[in-house]
Amino acid sequence: MPRRWGGAALAVTVAVVAVAPTGVVSTYAHRLDAVWPAAGYGSPAPGGSATGHAAPGRTAPAGGADGSGGRPGTSAPPRPSAAPSAGQSAPAPSASAAQSSGQATAAPGAAAFSGPQPAPGPAPTPSPSAPPSAECTVDEILAPSCGVWWGASPYRGDVRPLEEAVGRPLDIVYTWHGVDQHRVPTAEERRLAEEGRFLHANIEARRFNAAGHPVQSYGDIIGGRFDDALRGQARRIADLGRPFFVTFDHEADADKRYNTRGTPEQFVRAWRHIVDVYRANGADNAVFVWNVTGWKGNLGRLPSLWPGNDYVDWISWEAYNMTGCELQPSWNHVVTFEEALRPAYEWFQNEGPEHGIDADKPVMVGEMGTVPIPGDPAATREWYADIPETLRDYERVRAVKLWDGITAPSCDFRVLQNRYATRGYLQASGDRYVDLPRLAREAVEEAIGIADQARAMRGRGARGER
């Protein structure tokens, strides 16, 4: 059961006009049922780090991401990795330094996109699909019933190139912070939220305010060493006035983290401690996303890392292909998006309930992408273009985020740097299944406005004002 926030239930209906594959215009209603807190919902608020993605371990040694060495069954999934970076931004070190060198800046359309253009030929056509159900709902933890949210960790934290290429805002922007940072979200992230995007912050078990961003033990987090910073984060998130996705130390099942920052039991206690601090300080709008690698060899580690249904709202893992990436010399095969997604999906469906993991929790693909596939550019395009149809077969998946970064010259996941990747990504982005939720997002905005008005009226009533 999803955790419900306090407050009155709101029902909002949005009329939608869509063009069916036949060209016939059809109209259908979209209804939003959302529960918002009785107080504290107004305009978004300030923040703490940048959106330059630096996923943990992005400087993986040759032979295995996250220090895995590519050993089947014992390591992190062969995937890109990078460590968050300094101060208010999150640049990645070493091989991935170019990935995250600054904060997300400016709104869509603020500057013309000058990156690589799609391959010559006709413009990609969105995949035809039947009109969606007459009822499209978004619940209190932002899980849509009508498709998926389409987000990204944008290159160098700048949302503009992707958004200008696609022609619409990202639904979710993934950002990176340390457990020692008070200012989460940052003022820049607040602006992104004010413009209609949802924010997802990974609170890393690192000290971003210290040189080199040293790793922090779970024991110190459990002991309260960072409670002051966590309280600051919670209050700023509460002040944001809208739902805010939060992950603590993503990929805890990867070799780089598993049994290194603490035991699995300590990870669980640290996770619960952070959630408890957030809730005690008013961050009822925080939506907690438990993210793991999703690699088949790590699935046996998941039960010991599960924080519990009351402490997790969404389940998340990654889907990558690294054919030809120099950091993965043994990766000589192509893994499709579906093949990368399936093992963890089936594990959670079939075995998760045995370990107390609610089979109804929504799923987020926390990061996904492929390097340009050597010798087969069409396969690179198809890797992205096939994503929407795959998602239709995996109904628990309700959000997907691209990792738009680079870890080495031959490990370049930036979709706008390869024309075939660009074409495939644009084709996927134009599919109704990944575009429809913005209509639900408009209903969310309306619900937030109604809740804010109701809160203001209750406040005036409590003061005896007329």
Side-chain angles (χ1 to χ4, degrees):
M1 289 287 292
R3 175 176 51 81
R4 292 179 63 86
W5 303 338
L10 301 173
V12 179
T13 300
V14 180
V16 181
V17 177
V19 181
T22 59
V24 178
V25 176
S26 58
T27 304
Y28 34 93
H30 288 255
R31 184 173 183 276
L32 166 72
D33 292 312
V35 177
W36 305 107
Y41 269 77
S43 299
S49 153
T51 59
H53 174 153
R58 286 262 184 260
T59 52
D66 292 330
S68 69
R71 298 186 303 278
T74 60
S75 60
R79 56 173 300 284
S81 256
S85 149
Q88 300 303 311
S89 64
S94 177
S96 59
Q99 153 58 17
S100 43
S101 61
Q103 290 186 316
T105 55
F113 169 57
S114 58
Q117 301 301 312
T125 303
S127 303
S129 60
S133 164
E135 275 212 345
C136 177
T137 63
V138 177
D139 65 20
E140 63 271 23
I141 56 172
L142 287 184
S145 67
C146 54
V148 301
W149 301 119
W150 193 240
S153 266
Y155 180 59
R156 294 185 173 178
D158 189 349
V159 301
R160 292 173 299 172
L162 284 176
E163 292 186 336
E164 289 166 3
V166 172
R168 63 181 174 92
L170 295 170
D171 293 322
I172 305 174
V173 179
Y174 205 10
T175 70
W176 304 85
H177 299 269
V179 72
D180 62 333
Q181 291 182 301
H182 291 70
R183 299 182 64 81
V184 178
T186 63
E188 177 59 29
E189 290 166 356
R190 175 179 178 174
R191 183 190 62 74
L192 293 174
E194 287 173 336
E195 293 172 350
R197 307 169 188 86
F198 297 127
L199 298 176
H200 182 182
N202 177 45
I203 306 301
E204 185 79 4
R206 288 178 176 269
R207 285 179 284 140
F208 273 33
N209 291 329
H213 318 297
V215 169
Q216 190 57 53
S217 74
Y218 296 147
D220 279 349
I221 296 170
I222 296 166
R225 176 177 177 181
F226 300 100
D227 281 5
D228 185 55
L230 294 173
R231 283 190 289 267
Q233 294 174 10
R235 291 163 185 163
R236 292 177 73 88
I237 289 170
D239 193 40
L240 183 68
R242 61 190 58 220
F244 186 98
F245 293 110
V246 179
T247 292
F248 167 62
D249 220 29
H250 87 166
E251 299 176 347
D253 60 323
D255 274 3
K256 191 169 185 177
R257 289 174 177 74
Y258 190 74
N259 266 328
T260 62
R261 300 179 178 186
T263 65
E265 187 268 343
Q266 286 178 311
F267 168 80
V268 169
R269 289 176 59 198
W271 178 288
R272 292 180 177 181
H273 180 80
I274 290 173
V275 172
D276 287 341
V277 170
Y278 271 36
R279 290 175 177 170
N281 286 274
D284 292 327
N285 55 326
V287 178
F288 296 98
V289 182
W290 183 65
N291 176 269
V292 293
T293 63
W295 187 52
K296 187 175 181 179
N298 287 347
L299 296 177
R301 297 175 172 180
L302 302 188
S304 65
L305 296 167
W306 176 241
N309 288 316
D310 291 340
Y311 285 87
V312 175
D313 296 308
W314 289 63
I315 293 169
S316 174
W317 64 87
E318 279 101 42
Y320 280 110
N321 177 61
M322 298 184 72
T323 313
C325 169
E326 62 199 70
L327 301 180
Q328 293 291 336
S330 62
W331 194 306
N332 53 16
H333 56 291
V334 176
V335 175
T336 66
F337 175 80
E338 193 272 341
E339 290 168 339
L341 174 67
R342 185 199 317 138
Y345 192 95
E346 292 180 346
W347 187 91
F348 280 108
Q349 288 291 99
N350 301 326
E351 300 184 41
E354 298 177 14
H355 303 287
I357 302 174
D358 188 345
D360 293 327
K361 287 192 182 294
V363 167
M364 179 182 297
V365 178
E367 300 174 357
M368 65 87 178
T370 182
V371 297
I373 297 172
D376 194 353
T380 302
R381 179 191 63 78
E382 291 166 3
W383 198 96
Y384 289 104
D386 290 345
I387 288 175
E389 283 307 310
T390 296
L391 294 173
R392 287 177 171 88
D393 293 331
Y394 290 80
E395 295 182 352
R396 282 182 66 182
V397 179
R398 292 302 172 191
V400 177
K401 301 197 306 295
L402 170 75
W403 186 68
D404 194 46
I406 179 172
T407 58
S410 61
C411 307
D412 194 343
F413 295 82
R414 296 172 297 173
V415 296
L416 301 182
Q417 295 300 309
N418 177 280
R419 60 181 183 173
Y420 296 98
T422 301
R423 282 188 66 81
Y425 179 73
L426 294 185
Q427 183 172 340
S429 300
D431 190 282
R432 188 176 295 122
Y433 196 75
V434 305
D435 192 22
L436 185 61
R438 68 177 165 163
L439 301 167
R441 182 176 57 196
E442 292 170 2
V444 170
E445 295 297 317
E446 184 175 348
I448 290 173
I450 293 172
D452 194 41
Q453 292 176 20
R455 178 185 58 80
M457 291 177 64
R458 285 193 296 271
R460 288 196 296 270
R463 294 191 299 271
E465 299 176 8
R466 295 188 177 184

